Amino acid sequence: MSRFIQKSQVPIDFLMGRVVKLSSVGLDRKSCAQVRVRRNEYNSYLHQFYAKSEDFWAFDGQGGARLGDLVLIRQMTEPLTRKVQHQVERTVFKHGNIVDPITKRRVVQDEFVDESLAKKALIEKVLLGDKKTPAAPEDEQEALGFDEEHEAQLERLHNLRLSDSSPSSSSSR
Amino acid sequence: MPFMRGPMPLRRTTYYLEQGHILLRDSVRIFSINFHGKPNPLQKGAREFVFWHWAQLQYKNPSVQLVKHNNISVTPFGQAFLVNGDEVLLDFEGKTRQEIHDVIKNVLGKTELVLRREQLEQTLQKNPANFGSEFNRHCLCEVQGQQPCSSVLPVPSYLKGGFRWTKGRP
């Protein structure tokens, strides 16, 4: 252990971490979650902070904690067992269902879900028009050829752009 | 500065770290910030704040758990969790580095009055008469008129423990 690394002064009674394991204790199978907490250690030689992970077992009273959730844990006044000293207070971010706390909209890969769905709907509107799906094999003879289809799509795109740039639609934004 | 490594090694100097202006209140236990590695113009302020001030914040607030979130959401934000479980949410979208710094300082930071009061309380605790490894005078032998240092002159036998407890009897 380097003599320049100073142990973190953050007390362990109230922490934030990610659930890495789920288990249960006791005869009545009380659900617990192992939470990985990262506290920063200062290296006084390099003058830099490095995150050091520690795992704490936390009693999950509500039973809602899932793997990968970002949770807040608090030390219990009466620990459950020797190892389970903390309890899960609340989930800050659920794994796979991140809701932006400011706008309250769901986020998937740097994009709001409602925005990406609206974009998708717009693209489908341009590509397919009134049809919900591309032409089925039985209707192949009735379906338009590639060039006609392409022209129709370009026209729909052009119309959308015109309606987008018109004063009424731009003011409604 | 030792090891001029990294994008701005100035941030890794003790002098720079000591310049941190934000001292978070005692009730703030966890502070997390969401920023973006490749920010768009609205997210830029948060990225710059983390780049310049994050290490200062941790250095000045060693008992606060600072957590960094990279790209978990579209809007950059800061979340502070207080001792009683309350959450303080700060919106950093469209703000500059300085604005974010001021918001955190005004909302979560200790005021000048509180800092001054704490400073005075600390000076009261320090007794100038104390000596030892943590204080100005290491040993009482440094004070004029006291016994000379036992490393320099042998202590007279009547002052040694063996003599005192046996009253000089062999």
Side-chain angles (χ1 to χ4, degrees):
Chain A
M1 202 60 182
S2 170
R3 61 193 163 99
F4 298 109
I5 297 172
Q6 292 165 23
K7 216 168 165 269
S8 173
Q9 290 173 43
V10 175
I12 60 163
D13 63 333
F14 188 46
L15 296 164
M16 178 151 89
R18 277 199 189 273
V19 175
V20 292
K21 214 185 266 188
L22 294 169
S23 187
S24 47
V25 284
L27 284 167
D28 42 356
R29 298 281 93 195
K30 293 197 173 120
S31 52
C32 297
Q34 194 180 36
V35 174
R36 187 156 288 166
V37 166
R38 301 176 85 209
R39 292 187 290 175
N40 296 311
E41 282 185 340
Y42 182 63
N43 188 318
S44 52
Y45 186 66
L46 300 172
H47 305 302
Q48 209 157 17
F49 286 98
Y50 293 96
K52 181 138 174 134
S53 296
E54 269 162 79
D55 295 346
F56 296 97
W57 278 103
F59 169 54
D60 184 22
Q62 275 114 29
R66 290 285 158 266
L67 284 182
D69 283 357
L70 196 77
V71 298
L72 285 176
I73 58 170
R74 198 184 282 275
Q75 207 161 27
M76 291 197 281
T77 42
E78 281 134 22
L80 212 61
T81 72
R82 192 175 61 85
K83 290 229 164 163
V84 183
Q85 306 268 335
H86 294 80
Q87 66 182 8
V88 174
E89 194 168 285
R90 59 171 268 221
T91 313
V92 183
F93 292 114
K94 281 197 85 61
H95 188 60
N97 186 9
I98 295 184
V99 174
D100 184 33
I102 302 217
T103 55
K104 304 281 186 287
R105 292 152 80 184
R106 194 177 158 203
V107 174
V108 165
Q109 280 202 308
D110 304 329
E111 210 172 25
F112 291 117
V113 165
D114 48 11
E115 247 181 51
S116 61
L117 286 174
K119 270 190 219 167
K120 191 180 167 202
L122 209 63
I123 290 164
E124 276 181 10
K125 199 168 154 189
V126 168
L127 287 178
L128 303 171
D130 294 323
K131 296 182 282 184
K132 293 292 172 189
T133 55
E138 301 101 60
D139 314 343
E140 228 172 274
Q141 285 169 356
E142 292 169 1
L144 297 170
F146 177 79
D147 290 328
E148 289 98 341
E149 188 71 52
H150 187 59
E151 264 180 41
Q153 282 168 358
L154 284 172
E155 206 190 310
R156 273 182 237 126
L157 186 64
H158 183 67
N159 290 338
L160 266 174
R161 283 201 176 125
L162 280 176
S163 66
D164 208 36
S165 61
S166 72
S168 54
S169 65
S170 53
S171 62
S172 68
R173 273 173 177 257
Chain B
M1 39 200 160
F3 304 130
M4 277 175 67
R5 304 284 172 94
M8 182 53 68
L10 174 71
R11 299 171 295 154
R12 291 201 298 109
T13 53
T14 327
Y15 182 76
Y16 182 85
L17 292 171
E18 287 286 348
Q19 298 299 306
H21 296 302
I22 305 173
L23 279 101
L24 297 171
R25 291 181 186 186
D26 297 332
S27 55
V28 175
R29 299 296 299 279
I30 303 163
F31 183 68
S32 72
I33 183 161
N34 174 42
F35 64 101
H36 300 79
K38 289 174 185 167
N40 63 32
L42 293 171
Q43 300 161 345
K44 201 156 165 254
R47 176 73 192 100
E48 283 179 2
F49 175 82
V50 168
F51 182 85
W52 288 109
H53 300 300
W54 191 86
Q56 280 180 333
L57 201 60
Q58 181 73 96
Y59 187 82
K60 282 290 191 174
N61 303 282
S63 44
V64 173
Q65 187 195 2
L66 284 202
V67 179
K68 276 198 264 197
H69 295 305
N70 195 350
N71 291 336
I72 54 158
S73 177
V74 176
T75 52
F77 59 85
Q79 273 177 321
F81 295 97
L82 310 182
V83 173
N84 52 9
D86 286 345
E87 182 190 335
V88 179
L89 195 59
L90 303 167
D91 184 8
F92 295 154
E93 189 168 51
K95 291 196 161 79
T96 63
R97 177 192 58 81
Q98 190 60 48
E99 282 167 6
I100 293 169
H101 181 275
D102 294 337
V103 158
I104 296 171
K105 190 172 176 185
N106 292 332
V107 175
L108 300 167
K110 286 185 181 160
T111 56
E112 290 289 324
L113 190 69
V114 170
L115 288 171
R116 180 109 180 86
R117 189 180 353 120
E118 282 183 357
Q119 219 175 25
L120 288 169
E121 278 172 4
Q122 266 189 346
T123 51
L124 276 172
Q125 280 173 358
K126 275 187 190 172
N127 189 347
N130 288 338
F131 61 94
S133 52
E134 299 148 27
F135 305 100
N136 288 337
R137 295 170 304 187
H138 188 87
C139 180
L140 199 59
C141 63
E142 292 174 34
V143 179
Q144 180 88 17
Q146 296 294 333
Q147 289 293 332
C149 194
S150 53
S151 64
V152 174
L153 273 176
V155 176
S157 55
Y158 66 87
L159 285 175
K160 289 186 182 170
F163 184 93
R164 288 173 73 190
W165 314 136
T166 58
K167 292 180 188 167
R169 288 193 296 268

